Amino acid sequence: MTENTAVQAEATASEAPKKLTLHGTEYLLPASSDQWPLAALEGFEEGKIVAALRSLLGPEQWARLKEAGATLSDLNTLAEQVAAAYGFESAGE
């Protein structure tokens, strides 16, 4: 098992929601990428980070993010956190 594969296995083994933090606000995501909505998978696969994050966050958390005045830089930060939380090398993996 490669180091990257081990990280991915560990990242998907937990049943606790993944937690992202942006400007002191916490956002919860599914515990495993196996639980991602198909729209999130399609978004990442197609390089549509906004669509992917919107799907992962769901309507309530997405609205909260927009109301907080999130920027493109903030979305890139969240995408990097998603990759790290799920054991991917990058959000486009």
Side-chain angles (χ1 to χ4, degrees):
M1 181 179 288
T2 67
E3 183 178 337
N4 189 39
T5 305
V7 170
Q8 284 181 331
E10 182 180 329
T12 58
S14 173
E15 293 185 24
K18 304 290 186 198
K19 296 177 185 178
L20 309 182
T21 303
L22 183 67
H23 304 302
T25 301
E26 188 173 87
Y27 299 92
L28 300 177
L29 301 180
S32 166
S33 58
D34 292 341
Q35 300 167 341
W36 284 8
L38 289 179
L41 293 170
E42 289 173 337
F44 282 121
E45 182 179 84
E46 296 169 2
K48 297 178 179 178
I49 300 301
V50 174
L53 289 174
R54 182 175 53 234
S55 179
L56 275 179
L57 291 170
E60 291 176 19
Q61 293 186 111
W62 183 253
R64 193 172 61 196
L65 181 67
K66 285 175 45 177
E67 289 168 9
T71 64
L72 176 58
S73 177
D74 293 332
L75 293 182
N76 287 330
T77 297
L78 286 176
E80 290 171 10
Q81 288 184 37
V82 168
Y86 292 100
F88 302 132
E89 289 182 24
S90 72
E93 188 177 311

